[in-house]
Amino acid sequence: MHNLDDLQLFALTVRYQGISAAAKASHLQRSKVSRRLQELERRLGYQLLIRTTRHIELTEQGEWLYQQVESHLTTLDEAMTMLAEQNREPKGKLRMAIPPVLGVTEFFTSVIERYTSLYPKVKLEIEHQKQAIDLRRTNTDIQVLPVYSPPINDDYVQQYFIQLPCVMVASPSYLQKMGQPKSLDELASHLLLGNRYSKMQLPRNTDYYVYSEDLHLLRNMARDGKGITMLPTVMVMPGIKEGIFTPLLANHQFADLKVTLIYASKPFQSQKCRNMVQLLRQTATEKGVISYPK
């Protein structure tokens, strides 16, 4: 049996657009209302409210629960039971934001196929994002980002996931025209196609012909003979095998591109989210594409 008094406090908080107003309406101390709302969220396993300095916002689960409270379709207790059951049995929608480079890998395809087989009641929504997003306000469960892109909110968990080896490449036509650099110093006389990762690897005064976080753009430009670029090996290995790209500076060891998983901290992490995080790490370990930093 759920505590319906706490649910009533939740409804008042939404209705009056603030914890202080709800506390005044219910003749309770603000700290007590806040504590009981946190306990309600803990019991359900979902964050219901996004608290800001001036007002509150509803998460996707909070919006759903408030609609149930305000309607006469279900009793309050039934609504809370339904929401809690969603967390016990993985179902509903799982939203993920991933960098485009990960979406084209066999590894990620394998993860998605395995997840949908294990949890057929969960519907996946996957979008490509190169920048950090606010998980709560976009109702996103998991984001995968390079380590140099910190999460929007410090409350989110940021966990090392994989390290992608990278390689510097150019097309044979470009090298035939411009010559092949033998050292980092010789790159100064070449057309460089860079991004934030390559900027961290090359000398600080390096000048770039094109600078973009769109790795597919850089790969396509290098393929078309427009310059030299440094990309995750997984993106260019097929082209290397086909002779479209030529690896450069093979004797120089570039640092791997570290990738992190970002998701809500407990107790606001849903079961379907926990299952995806676990499967991502498990699959990466099995396929040998993972390397946990010390």
Side-chain angles (χ1 to χ4, degrees):
M1 184 71 176
H2 298 290
N3 189 331
L4 301 186
D5 290 338
D6 290 349
L7 190 60
Q8 181 65 24
L9 286 178
F10 164 71
L12 287 174
T13 301
V14 178
R15 193 174 302 139
Y16 290 110
Q17 281 296 294
I19 294 176
S20 296
K24 184 177 181 180
S26 55
H27 306 289
L28 294 172
Q29 293 182 344
R30 187 188 187 283
S31 59
K32 186 172 184 178
V33 173
S34 179
R35 187 166 56 251
R36 285 172 59 174
L37 289 174
Q38 290 174 358
E39 176 63 19
L40 175 64
E41 291 175 320
R42 187 195 66 77
R43 290 200 308 272
L44 292 176
Y46 286 107
Q47 184 167 5
L48 303 173
L49 301 170
I50 301 172
R51 299 155 179 84
T52 65
T53 54
R54 295 188 177 183
H55 63 282
I56 57 97
E57 298 177 28
L58 288 171
T59 64
E60 183 179 25
Q61 291 77 22
E63 178 67 36
W64 180 89
L65 183 58
Y66 184 67
Q67 290 176 0
Q68 303 306 311
V69 172
E70 291 296 283
S71 72
H72 300 288
L73 299 178
T74 59
T75 67
L76 299 184
D77 197 47
E78 285 173 343
M80 294 180 68
T81 299
M82 289 168 63
L83 189 59
E85 286 178 350
Q86 286 183 25
N87 205 25
R88 286 194 289 270
E89 181 185 6
K91 58 184 177 181
K93 185 178 292 185
L94 178 74
R95 293 187 178 94
M96 296 183 66
I98 66 171
V101 62
L102 185 63
V104 299
T105 62
E106 179 184 348
F107 156 74
F108 190 70
T109 300
S110 176
V111 169
I112 297 305
E113 290 178 348
R114 293 177 69 179
Y115 189 91
T116 53
S117 296
L118 290 169
Y119 311 107
K121 292 185 178 181
V122 178
K123 297 179 181 179
L124 296 178
E125 186 174 296
I126 301 165
E127 64 177 32
H128 288 172
Q129 285 282 353
K130 299 186 288 290
Q131 304 295 332
I133 60 177
D134 192 321
L135 301 185
R136 295 191 185 102
R137 287 183 170 82
T138 57
N139 292 316
T140 302
D141 297 281
I142 302 171
Q143 181 167 27
V144 182
L145 275 181
V147 70
Y148 54 69
S149 296
I152 292 290
N153 193 315
D154 291 338
D155 292 340
Y156 298 150
V157 176
Q158 184 175 14
Q159 189 176 71
Y160 279 121
F161 175 37
I162 59 176
Q163 295 184 183
L164 299 174
C166 293
V167 61
M168 182 173 283
V169 297
S171 69
S173 63
Y174 173 87
L175 298 176
Q176 185 176 8
K177 178 181 177 182
M178 302 293 293
Q180 184 165 332
K182 304 298 182 182
S183 67
L184 290 180
D185 293 336
E186 292 185 16
L187 291 175
S189 60
H190 285 270
L191 301 176
L192 297 182
L193 314 172
N195 53 46
R196 198 181 309 184
Y197 165 74
S198 60
K199 194 172 184 179
M200 295 168 62
Q201 301 295 311
L202 301 179
R204 185 172 300 178
N205 60 349
T206 298
D207 188 28
Y208 293 95
Y209 178 53
V210 174
Y211 186 91
S212 173
E213 295 305 315
D214 189 335
L215 302 189
H216 288 91
L217 170 66
L218 301 182
R219 181 184 62 179
N220 293 344
M221 292 191 69
R223 178 200 62 197
D224 297 339
K226 303 301 183 182
I228 294 174
T229 192
M230 188 189 307
L231 295 170
T233 305
V234 68
M235 288 189 70
V236 294
M237 183 53 70
I240 291 175
K241 292 179 179 178
E242 296 173 15
I244 297 173
F245 295 116
T246 299
L248 304 175
L249 302 182
N251 294 329
H252 187 85
Q253 185 67 42
F254 295 108
D256 292 345
L257 175 60
K258 298 176 182 178
V259 180
T260 58
L261 289 174
I262 299 171
Y263 49 87
S265 59
K266 294 181 179 179
F268 304 129
Q269 186 184 17
S270 65
Q271 186 62 48
K272 59 191 175 191
C273 179
R274 285 194 290 270
N275 292 345
M276 176 58 82
V277 170
Q278 182 179 6
L279 187 59
L280 281 164
R281 298 179 71 87
Q282 177 184 337
T283 305
T285 302
E286 291 172 357
K287 290 186 174 292
V289 300
I290 194 163
S291 175
Y292 295 103
K294 300 291 186 182

